[in-house]
C-alpha cells in the first residue's frame, strides 16, 4: 500500500435486514421468493470479503409497522421494513461461508433479555473465530415494543440509560469465565477450572442476573460493539461503549462535526478515540461511463417518486411520525421523535418530496460516476472529515450492485492506496484497529 495516504475502513449496511431485496427490480434475480434463503446474503458476505471489507452489518426490527396512515397496509403490500427473518439465524450461514470478514448482528436491548443476548453473541463469536459484532440498538418503534408486552417504547433518553446498565451486565457476563478457564485436562480430570468461573450477582435498577454465563469466554472476549445513536444522548452512549459507530450525516461538514464530538466525548470517558471507528452511510452509484452512472442516479430518483408511499411509510416507521399528514411539498416543521430522534432532526425544515428524492445520499457531494472518480471523491471526503470510513448502503440490492462495489469501486480505492487489499488478522476488532 502506498504510504502517506490515510487508510480508511469499509463496511456494508444490509438495510431491510434479512428481508426481501429488490423484489420488483429488474436485476433482483430469477426468483424473488428466494429471499427467505440465506444465499444472496451469504454471497454478499463472500463478495465483500473478496474486497476486504471490515464487516457487514445486518439491520433488524421485529414488527409489522402501522405508523403510516395508522395501518399496516403500506408496509405489508410493498414490504416496507417487514417482513424480516431473524438475523441471528442468518449470521452463522455468513460466518460459515467466510473466514475473515466481520459479521455484525442487530439485537435490541428492549427485546432481548441481557443474559440471552450475552449468550447468543458469545456463541456467534465462538463459531466465527472472533468475527462477531453486536449492533446495539435500543428499539424505537411503539409497535415493536408492543410485540414484547410493553404499552409503548420507553422514553428516548431512558432507553439509553437502561442500555448503559444493560451493557455493563452483558460485559460482566462475557467476562465471567477467565480466558484460561477451559483447561480440558484429562490428566487432572478437569474440563474447566471452577476457580476461574465467576458468578456476577448483578443487581441494577433495571436488570438482574446471577451469572456466570453458561459458556466459556469467546475468542474476542467481548464481541465488537457497533452503535448508531445520533441524538445528543445517543452520541454520549456511543462515545462510552461503541467500538464502531455507523452514522448518517447529511453533509460533509456534519460528518466532521459528528466525528469530532464523538472523539471529544470518548476522551471524557477515558477512552482512546482512535479505538472508535466511525463509518458514514453512503450509497455510491458507479458505472463504466460517467453519463450512464448519472442516468441511473436519475432513475433512482424517479423510482423513489413513483414509489413515494414506500419511502413515506419507511420515514414514518423510523420516526414514529405519520408523514401522510404532511403536505408533500411544504417544508416540515421542527420535528421531535421518541423513535430515531436524530433522523427527525435531519428531516426538519425539508419537504417530504426532497427527503424521498435524496434518500440516504449526502446533500452536498454526489458519489456518482466512474469507479475512479467516486473513489477520488470518497478519499477527499475522508481527508476532510479526518477518518474513519464508509458504510455502504444498498439502494438497489442486487447481485449486480454488490459486484459493482466489490469488483469495481473497491479496486479503484485500492489502486489509490486508501483501503486495504488484504486482511492482516482474523478477528474483527484486530482488523478494525489495524489502522
Ligand atoms: C446506519 C444506521 C443503521 C441503523 N440500524 C438500526 C437497526 O438495524 N435497528 C434499529 O432498531 N435501529 C437502527 N438504527 C437506529 C439507531 O439504533 C438509533 O435508534 C437511531 O440512529 C436514532 O438514534 P438517536 O435517537 O440517538 O438519534 C440505525 C441507525 C443508523 C444511522
Amino acid at each position: 500500500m502506498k504510504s502517506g495516504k490515510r487508510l480508511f475502513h469499509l463496511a456494508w449496511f444490509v438495510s431491510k435486514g434479512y428481508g426481501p431485496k429488490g423484489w420488483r427490480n429488474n436485476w433482483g434475480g430469477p426468483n424473488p421468493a428466494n429471499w427467505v434463503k440465506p444465499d444472496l446474503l451469504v454471497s454478499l458476505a463472500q463478495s465483500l470479503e473478496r474486497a476486504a471489507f471490515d464487516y457487514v452489518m445486518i439491520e433488524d426490527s421485529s414488527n409489522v409497522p402501522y405508523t403510516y396512515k395508522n395501518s399496516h397496509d403500506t408496509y405489508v403490500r410493498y414490504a416496507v421494513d417487514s417482513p424480516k427473518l431473524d438475523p441471528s439465524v442468518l449470521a452463522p450461514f455468513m460466518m460459515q461461508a467466510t473466514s475473515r470478514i466481520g459479521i455484525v448482528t442487530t439485537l435490541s436491548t428492549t427485546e432481548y433479555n441481557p443474559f440471552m443476548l450475552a449468550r447468543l453473541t458469545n456463541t456467534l463469536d465462538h463459531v466465527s473465530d472472533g468475527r462477531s459484532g453486536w449492533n446495539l440498538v435500543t428499539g424505537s418503534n411503539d409497535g415493536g415494543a408492543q410485540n414484547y408486552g410493553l404499552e409503548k417504547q420507553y422514553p428516548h433518553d431512558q432507553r439509553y440509560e437502561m442500555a448503559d446498565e444493560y451493557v455493563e451486565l452483558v460485559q460482566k457476563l462475557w467476562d465471567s469465565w477467565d480466558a484460561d478457564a477451559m483447561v480440558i485436562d484429562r490428566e487432572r480430570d478437569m474440563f474447566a477450572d471452577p476457580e476461574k468461573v465467576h458468578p456476577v450477582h448483578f443487581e441494577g435498577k433495571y436488570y438482574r442476573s446471577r451469572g456466570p454465563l453458561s459458556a466459556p469466554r469467546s475468542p474476542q472476549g467481548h464481541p465488537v460493539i457497533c452503535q448508531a445513536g445520533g441524538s445528543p444522548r445517543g452520541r454520549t452512549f456511543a462515545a462510552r461503549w461503541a467500538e464502531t459507530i455507523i452514522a448518517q450525516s447529511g453533509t460533509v461538514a456534519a460528518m466532521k462535526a459528528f466525528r469530532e464530538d464523538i472523539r471529544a466525548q470518548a476522551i471524557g470517558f477515558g477512552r482512546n478515540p482512535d479505538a472508535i471507528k466511525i463509518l458514514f452511510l453512503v450509497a455510491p452509484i458507479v458505472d463504466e461511463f460517467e453519463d450512464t452512472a448519472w442516468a441511473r442516479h436519475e432513475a433512482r430518483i424517479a423510482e423513489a417518486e413513483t414509489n413515494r408511499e414506500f419511502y413515506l411509510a419507511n420515514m414514518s416507521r423510523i420516526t414514529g411520525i405519520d408523514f401522510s399528514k404532511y403536505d408533500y411539498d411544504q417544508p416540515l416543521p421542527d420535528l421531535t421523535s421518541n423513535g430515531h430522534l436524530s433522523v427527525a432532526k435531519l428531516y426538519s425544515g425539508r419537504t417530504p418530496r426532497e427527503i424521498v428524492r435524496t434518500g440516504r445520499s449526502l446533500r452536498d457531494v454526489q458519489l456518482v460516476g466512474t469507479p475512479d472518480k467516486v473513489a477520488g471523491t470518497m478519499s477527499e471526503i475522508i481527508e476532510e472529515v479526518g477518518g474513519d470510513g464508509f458504510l455502504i448502503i444498498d439502494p438497489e440490492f442486487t447481485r449486480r450492485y454488490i459486484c459493482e462495489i466489490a469488483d469495481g469501486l473497491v479496486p479503484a480505492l485500492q489502486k489509490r492506496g486508501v483501503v486495504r487489499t488484504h486482511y492482516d488478522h482474523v478477528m474483527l476488532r484486530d482488523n478494525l484497529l489495524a489502522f
Side-chain angles (χ1 to χ4, degrees):
M1 288 177 190
K2 287 180 205 160
S3 59
K5 292 243 173 94
R6 193 193 297 274
L7 275 168
F8 59 80
H9 299 265
L10 291 174
W12 187 284
F13 175 50
V14 181
S15 78
K16 308 185 193 86
Y18 186 6
K21 312 266 175 248
W23 62 274
R24 57 179 162 200
N25 186 303
N26 286 338
W27 296 83
N31 184 4
N34 267 352
W35 72 268
V36 294
K37 302 290 183 215
D39 307 30
L40 173 61
L41 292 157
V42 165
S43 153
L44 168 75
Q46 290 171 321
S47 301
L48 300 181
E49 183 164 86
R50 186 164 73 242
F53 270 52
D54 285 72
Y55 61 86
V56 50
M57 191 285 255
I58 314 161
E59 182 254 35
D60 191 40
S61 58
S62 65
N63 64 307
V64 177
Y66 61 86
T67 321
Y68 187 63
K69 297 184 177 169
N70 196 29
S71 155
H72 74 209
D73 292 6
T74 314
Y75 298 93
V76 173
R77 177 172 183 135
Y78 302 121
V80 188
D81 300 315
S82 70
K84 281 177 193 167
L85 304 188
D86 191 326
S88 60
V89 176
L90 170 66
F93 284 93
M94 297 165 97
M95 289 165 171
Q96 182 76 1
T98 54
S99 62
R100 291 288 184 277
I101 191 168
I103 309 290
V104 177
T105 312
T106 299
L107 301 162
S108 160
T109 54
T110 29
E111 295 167 8
Y112 266 86
N113 171 281
F115 188 91
M116 277 178 74
L117 184 135
R119 186 177 187 218
L120 172 59
T121 49
N122 164 286
T123 304
L124 289 169
D125 205 44
H126 277 294
V127 301
S128 64
D129 293 321
R131 294 185 290 125
S132 173
W134 166 29
N135 179 34
L136 192 177
V137 301
T138 61
S140 54
N141 188 277
D142 284 342
Q146 286 157 358
N147 284 347
Y148 294 86
L150 298 173
E151 240 169 73
K152 56 184 177 136
Q153 266 300 350
Y154 295 106
H156 181 273
D157 286 9
Q158 187 188 346
R159 291 204 296 274
Y160 282 116
E161 184 192 317
M162 294 170 75
D164 274 330
E165 191 182 299
Y166 192 111
V167 188
E168 276 177 49
L169 168 54
V170 167
Q171 292 195 334
K172 284 193 163 65
L173 289 166
W174 282 337
D175 287 337
S176 61
W177 286 57
D178 293 350
D180 56 354
M182 188 168 60
V183 292
I184 315 190
D185 184 340
R186 284 199 197 166
E187 275 170 26
R188 284 195 289 159
D189 197 18
M190 181 184 280
F191 178 79
D193 184 344
E195 300 287 317
K196 295 184 173 174
V197 179
H198 316 281
V200 303
H201 296 300
F202 188 90
E203 299 276 344
K205 186 170 162 194
Y206 301 104
Y207 304 105
R208 301 173 67 193
S209 182
R210 183 188 184 277
L213 195 63
S214 49
R217 197 176 169 84
S218 69
Q220 294 186 108
H222 292 191
V224 168
I225 294 182
C226 171
Q227 219 279 329
S231 62
R233 184 63 183 88
R235 289 182 189 204
T236 303
F237 181 82
R240 179 168 176 197
W241 301 110
E243 300 174 78
T244 178
I245 296 176
I246 47 180
Q248 187 179 3
S249 300
T251 61
V252 174
M255 289 164 71
K256 188 174 171 144
F258 179 88
R259 185 168 181 272
E260 282 169 5
D261 179 28
I262 293 285
R263 290 172 65 84
Q265 291 203 52
I267 292 167
F269 283 114
R271 299 184 66 197
N272 172 7
D274 292 335
I276 306 176
K277 304 302 173 187
I278 304 173
L279 308 190
F280 292 95
L281 202 65
V282 288
I285 299 182
V286 293
D287 212 316
E288 204 158 354
F289 305 106
E290 190 73 15
D291 54 351
T292 40
W294 280 100
R296 283 172 60 192
H297 172 71
E298 291 303 323
R300 189 196 285 179
I301 293 172
E303 182 273 338
E305 287 272 26
T306 309
N307 300 312
R308 71 171 71 157
E309 291 270 295
F310 181 100
Y311 293 91
L312 291 169
N314 169 265
M315 289 157 56
S316 299
R317 196 274 298 184
I318 291 175
T319 55
I321 298 165
D322 180 359
F323 284 101
S324 70
K325 296 195 170 138
Y326 289 98
D327 190 302
Y328 193 55
D329 283 310
Q330 289 298 317
L332 293 162
D334 186 23
L335 300 168
T336 189
S337 165
N338 193 40
H340 297 197
L341 179 56
S342 51
V343 178
K345 294 294 171 203
L346 271 180
Y347 292 166
S348 300
R350 303 171 68 206
T351 66
R353 183 190 297 276
E354 221 185 299
I355 301 164
V356 165
R357 287 172 65 92
T358 28
R360 308 250 199 179
S361 308
L362 291 169
R363 292 201 295 280
D364 52 350
V365 185
Q366 295 294 347
L367 295 175
V368 179
T370 60
D372 185 55
K373 187 194 139 193
V374 172
T377 312
M378 287 171 77
S379 346
E380 282 163 19
I381 293 175
I382 289 296
E383 283 306 319
E384 173 63 24
V385 172
D388 300 296
F390 294 101
L391 182 72
I392 311 267
I393 186 173
D394 50 353
E396 299 174 357
F397 211 106
T398 59
R399 285 181 200 269
R400 167 172 141 173
Y401 186 73
I402 296 165
C403 177
E404 284 166 349
I405 299 298
D407 302 305
L409 178 61
V410 171
L413 288 165
Q414 288 171 336
K415 213 161 136 196
R416 286 171 179 268
V418 292
V419 298
R420 69 158 73 81
T421 54
H422 60 275
Y423 298 94
D424 288 324
H425 306 280
V426 171
M427 291 198 239
L428 172 55
R429 178 174 295 107
D430 293 340
N431 282 317
L432 280 171
L433 293 179
F435 45 85

